[in-house]
């Protein structure tokens, strides 16, 4: 016969299986996610964010006083305001196609007479260049109709994560690299950067055909005069993290000499100090600060915060799980249904 169940045969409430530990598992999951995310940011995302931009469109302006040769007056004009305007425009299509940073650079040197014309073709001097660099290392890459072929570690910018050491800087007028030495830190518009300095000794850079009278050879009609160049005061201040130049100072001197001559005969351009304007400094500082802040967020702030939060969540979740599984003591058996509680069988008096 089937015995009917009684209340005593049903499982007691104390024996029911506990619900799954939702909160500890959520904490563990969130902690592990944050730890993995932080590791990915440090190892993969951060380094890949340190790439030279390709959609750049930046204009920098140098100003200062100096001398230049006025071809109309056939005379040197002294103590004149000289303006150097450089525009850098990224070629996005070629950059995406090649995987490199392809920048087109236009540089115009203007005098008080040519500056109001706002036409680089009528400037004292106008050059166009095409620079191609590795987006990670900033080193030159020879492709994509690069012109001129150049070298060095720095030109329009320095590499990412600058070190306190010397760098080789490409001087377009010289057509060669110039060694720069680290000269400490300095502030530009209240923003700190690494300062690098260097000089260029008088160096012959080429020749041009001019009237002999111009270089002290009146007995000859046209001569191939020697072009000489020097730069007595190069000073570049760059943002440590991004390598962006936030201030630049140059002191160029371009002259002509008679063929085989040892002395300068004509001054084409000379200035003791051409420097970024205040407006250019502010723009460069704003760009450097914004880019540096984003890299700091990816490289340091978010990974450190995520690691700390992930470790805390993981520890809290693990502690709750351990605490939940730990036995709370010996459970008392329920009394028998026959009412013999407290009687021990086999003892005297049974």
């Amino acid at each position: 016969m089937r015995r009917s169940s009684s209340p005593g045969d049903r499982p007691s409430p104390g024996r029911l299986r506990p619900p799954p530990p939702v909160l500890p598992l959520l904490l563990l999951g969130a902690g592990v996610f944050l730890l993995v995310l932080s590791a990915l940011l440090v190892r993969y995302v951060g380094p890949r964010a340190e790439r030279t931009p390709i959609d750049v469109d930046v204009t920098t302006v140098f100003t200062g006083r100096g001398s230049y040769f006025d071809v109309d007056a056939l005379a040197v004009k002294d103590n004149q305001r000289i303006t150097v305007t450089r525009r850098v425009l990224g070629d996005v299509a070629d950059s995406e196609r090649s995987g490199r940073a392809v920048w087109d650079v236009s540089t115009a040197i203007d005098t008080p007479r040519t500056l109001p014309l706002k036409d680089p073709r009528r400037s004292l001097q106008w050059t166009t260049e095409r620079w191609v660099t590795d987006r990670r290392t900033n080193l030159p890459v020879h492709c994509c109709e690069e012109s001129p072929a150049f070298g060095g570690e720095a030109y329009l910018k320095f590499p990412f994560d600058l070190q306190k050491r010397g760098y080789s800087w490409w001087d377009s007028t010289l057509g060669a690299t110039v060694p720069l030495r680290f000269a400490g830190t300095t502030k530009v518009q209240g923003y700190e950067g690494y300062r690098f300095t260097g000089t260029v000794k008088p160096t012959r850079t080429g020749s041009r055909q001019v009237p002999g009278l111009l270089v002290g050879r009146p007995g000859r009609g046209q001569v191939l005069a020697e072009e000489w160049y020097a730069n007595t005061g190069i000073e570049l201040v760059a943002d440590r993290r991004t390598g962006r130049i936030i201030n630049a100072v140059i002191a160029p001197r371009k002259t002509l000499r008679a063929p085989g001559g040892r002395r300068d005969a004509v001054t084409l351009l000379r200035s003791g100090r051409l420097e970024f304007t205040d407006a250019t400094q502010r723009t460069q500082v704003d760009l450097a600060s914004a880019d540096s802040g984003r890299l700091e967020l990816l490289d340091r702030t978010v990974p450190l915060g995520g690691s700390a939060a992930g470790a805390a969540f993981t520890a809290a979740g693990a502690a709750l799980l351990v605490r939940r599984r730990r036995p709370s003591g010996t459970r008392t058996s329920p009394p028998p249904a026959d009412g013999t509680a407290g009687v021990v069988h086999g003892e005297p008096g049974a």
Side-chain angles (χ1 to χ4, degrees):
M1 294 179 62
R2 179 179 296 174
R3 191 179 64 177
S4 61
S5 61
S6 64
D9 295 329
R10 297 173 185 170
S12 64
R15 294 178 182 176
L16 292 176
R17 180 173 297 177
V22 177
L23 180 58
L25 292 179
L26 285 177
L27 289 174
L28 277 174
V32 171
F33 171 77
L34 288 174
L35 290 173
V36 172
L37 177 62
S38 300
L40 288 175
L41 286 174
V42 171
R43 186 161 185 172
Y44 295 103
V45 180
R48 283 164 176 74
E50 291 185 346
R51 294 290 185 271
T52 300
I54 61 176
D55 57 347
V56 61
D57 185 357
V58 176
T59 299
T60 56
V61 181
F62 297 75
T63 59
R65 305 198 72 82
S67 305
Y68 68 92
F69 184 76
D70 190 322
V71 294
D72 293 330
L74 292 178
V76 175
K77 291 194 173 182
D78 296 320
N79 196 28
Q80 300 292 307
R81 185 173 181 82
I82 297 173
T83 304
V84 180
T85 304
R86 175 178 291 151
R87 186 184 182 192
V88 181
L89 184 64
D91 189 325
V92 177
D94 276 3
S95 296
E96 291 179 341
R97 188 162 39 247
S98 66
R100 314 298 186 180
V102 182
W103 291 357
D104 292 317
V105 185
S106 169
T107 305
I109 301 176
D110 282 294
T111 66
R113 184 181 64 82
T114 64
L115 186 62
L117 301 177
K118 297 182 179 180
D119 185 350
R121 295 169 298 179
R122 303 176 69 179
S123 299
L124 179 69
Q125 179 180 313
W126 179 43
T127 58
T128 58
E129 301 164 312
R130 186 173 179 87
W131 295 88
V132 185
T133 58
D134 184 281
R135 297 187 63 193
R136 183 180 61 85
T137 64
N138 201 57
L139 294 175
V141 178
H142 307 298
C143 74
C144 315
E145 301 179 4
E146 167 210 21
S147 176
F150 71 107
E153 301 170 279
Y155 173 59
L156 297 172
K157 70 180 292 294
F158 281 78
F160 290 93
D161 296 321
L162 281 178
Q163 306 299 311
K164 295 180 179 180
R165 64 171 178 85
Y167 285 87
S168 57
W169 176 72
W170 178 263
D171 187 323
S172 289
T173 304
L174 179 65
T177 57
V178 178
L180 300 181
R181 66 179 185 87
F182 175 70
T185 60
T186 188
K187 288 189 176 181
V188 177
Q189 303 289 334
Y191 188 84
E192 187 172 85
Y194 282 6
R195 178 172 173 262
F196 300 90
T197 60
T199 59
V200 176
K201 297 184 296 184
T203 306
R204 183 179 176 181
T205 57
S207 60
R208 69 168 66 183
Q209 188 170 338
V210 299
L213 180 63
L214 192 63
V215 291
R217 298 291 174 87
R220 303 173 61 179
Q222 298 287 321
V223 298
L224 281 177
E226 299 176 358
E227 293 184 346
W228 285 71
Y229 165 73
N231 201 321
T232 58
I234 301 169
E235 179 182 322
L236 304 175
V237 182
D239 175 46
R240 182 196 65 81
R241 182 173 288 276
T242 65
R244 183 183 291 274
I245 297 175
I246 58 178
N247 191 35
V249 177
I250 55 176
R253 186 172 78 246
K254 297 180 66 177
T255 59
L256 290 179
R257 295 183 183 181
R262 295 188 177 183
R263 295 183 179 179
D264 296 334
V266 178
T267 296
L268 298 177
L269 176 69
R270 182 178 66 234
S271 176
R273 186 178 183 88
L274 295 176
E275 184 175 9
F276 275 179
T277 63
D278 286 345
T280 295
Q281 291 177 17
R282 285 193 296 270
T283 299
Q284 293 297 95
V285 165
D286 289 344
L287 291 171
S289 178
D291 291 344
S292 182
R294 283 190 286 268
L295 291 177
E296 178 77 14
L297 197 66
L298 290 174
D299 288 347
R300 185 175 179 85
T301 306
V302 173
L304 285 179
S307 297
F313 287 168
T314 303
L320 287 176
L321 280 178
V322 171
R323 185 176 180 182
R324 185 179 183 86
R325 292 178 180 178
R326 183 179 299 158
S328 58
T330 303
R331 187 183 303 275
T332 304
S333 299
D338 57 3
T340 59
V343 178
V344 179
H345 297 280
E347 290 185 355

